[in-house]
Amino acid sequence: MTGTLVNAGTSPVAPVEAAGSGLAVRDLKVFYGPVPAVRGVSLDCRPGEIVGVIGANGAGKTSLLSGIAGLVKTTGGSISLDGRDITRWPAHRRGQAGVVMVAERRRVFPSLSVRENLAVGGFGLDRGEVDRRVQSMLELFPRLRERERVPSFRLSGGEQRMVSIGRALVTGAQCILFDELSLGLAPRIVAELTGVLRALADEGRMIVLVEQYIGVLLRLADSVHVLERGRIRFAGPAQESAQWLEHHGYLAHAGTAAAAQEAAEART
Ligand code: ATP
């Protein structure tokens, strides 16, 4: 799939026009009433980069991505995209500017078929282009091709997740925020998706990736941010992070440590 995306002119997404300065998040805060979820997080994601975020349950990962996408109110800090301050923009305007979040919880329009759900991502584009991008997603997810006319409420959890990932890719967004990419997906699909994400980054897109599987994260991410209780505890290049994660108990299982190290080394 990676090959088709990049080489054969069948990319589901339009080429990125010009490399800007990317996504810059500064001292971002998200509170739910008095509950602090994100307590001053800064990160940068430049065009062509995959920034990984890891953290325990409740560390604030979803809140961070939701704050960047404008899906929850931020109570402090700033977000800029290619030098434009988007901190106060509503979610739909951020979407139009190319910032899209793929939520952990599956989000599909239940009464629409798989194909229709995917096509929603191409709203505003000409029909031929939408068909081309949708087709490309059906090739990426053969299971969806088998079920393309089925109303989405009939899909399994994993299938609905494929639909929401596919729809985000159809938008051609320049900055995609993935919350738990591999959740509910078979290893074969995850392996293909890692290829797709790398290809998207190589085309100049920005990807922020929350991922519980450290092996997947280290294989993909250029840099890793570790979130603890709403704050960045560690940030650094992927190659350095495996060691840090091991020393700080994130790789408690020996097999995980070896896999993580291998994934990090495979990148050098
Ligand atoms: P998980 O891996 O379990 O999804 P997370 O790292 O994504 O966790 P968040 O879901 O962002 O973390 O939650 C961060 C904190 O904010 C947690 O303490 C959580 O209980 C709290 N929280 C999240 N959503 C809400 C909400 N809608 N109202 C109140 N508190 C919330």
Side-chain angles (χ1 to χ4, degrees):
M1 183 63 202
T2 311
T4 30
L5 255 176
V6 175
N7 299 327
T10 56
S11 165
V13 289
V16 174
E17 279 163 18
S21 52
L23 177 75
V25 176
R26 292 289 172 274
D27 200 24
L28 200 71
K29 296 188 176 79
V30 176
F31 278 60
Y32 299 102
V35 179
V38 177
R39 301 197 272 181
V41 166
S42 300
L43 63 80
D44 289 288
C45 186
R46 279 173 283 275
E49 256 181 8
I50 301 179
V51 170
V53 178
I54 197 168
N57 288 343
K61 307 177 296 291
T62 300
S63 302
L64 172 63
L65 296 192
S66 305
I68 297 171
L71 298 172
V72 295
K73 195 167 170 290
T74 53
T75 43
S78 67
I79 306 157
S80 71
L81 183 70
D82 295 341
R84 283 174 299 174
D85 185 350
I86 65 168
T87 317
R88 305 204 184 289
W89 291 13
H92 70 86
R93 195 169 165 207
R94 295 186 206 195
Q96 285 163 354
V99 180
V100 165
M101 176 172 171
V102 181
E104 177 185 2
R105 266 173 250 113
R106 38 189 196 267
R107 293 228 172 101
V108 295
F109 299 104
S111 60
L112 298 186
S113 70
V114 165
R115 177 172 273 278
E116 288 164 342
N117 257 290
L118 292 172
V120 167
F123 181 76
L125 297 170
D126 80 68
R127 178 125 188 228
E129 180 62 17
V130 175
D131 285 347
R132 193 179 69 78
R133 294 184 187 190
V134 168
Q135 200 51 39
S136 170
M137 285 305 113
L138 295 175
E139 279 161 30
L140 172 63
F141 299 112
R143 181 68 187 147
L144 295 187
R145 189 167 41 190
E146 288 165 19
R147 318 207 73 196
E148 65 177 288
R149 309 270 164 216
V150 173
S152 297
F153 72 84
R154 294 234 173 100
L155 302 178
S156 72
E159 289 162 352
Q160 291 190 14
R161 207 121 170 98
M162 293 176 208
V163 170
S164 53
I165 292 170
R167 199 174 51 214
L169 296 181
V170 167
T171 64
Q174 61 160 327
C175 177
I176 311 182
L177 315 169
F178 283 100
D179 198 2
E180 302 289 5
L181 176 74
S182 66
L183 196 77
L185 297 178
R188 184 188 62 77
I189 299 283
V190 175
E192 283 192 37
L193 271 175
T194 59
V196 171
L197 259 60
R198 181 35 66 198
L200 290 171
D202 290 346
E203 287 175 357
R205 280 162 225 285
M206 301 160 237
I207 293 173
V208 181
L209 174 66
V210 166
E211 174 58 51
Q212 60 173 318
Y213 290 106
I214 295 176
V216 172
L217 189 93
L218 293 181
R219 212 172 305 133
L220 269 173
D222 298 299
S223 64
V224 172
H225 291 67
V226 180
L227 209 51
E228 283 183 5
R229 294 182 190 168
R231 292 202 169 93
I232 300 286
R233 175 86 196 285
F234 169 89
Q239 288 89 339
E240 288 169 22
S241 58
Q243 212 179 9
W244 189 94
L245 291 167
E246 187 169 10
H247 283 156
H248 291 80
Y250 279 82
L251 308 176
H253 189 272
T256 320
Q261 194 62 49
E262 200 180 300
E265 280 165 7
R267 302 170 49 82
T268 54

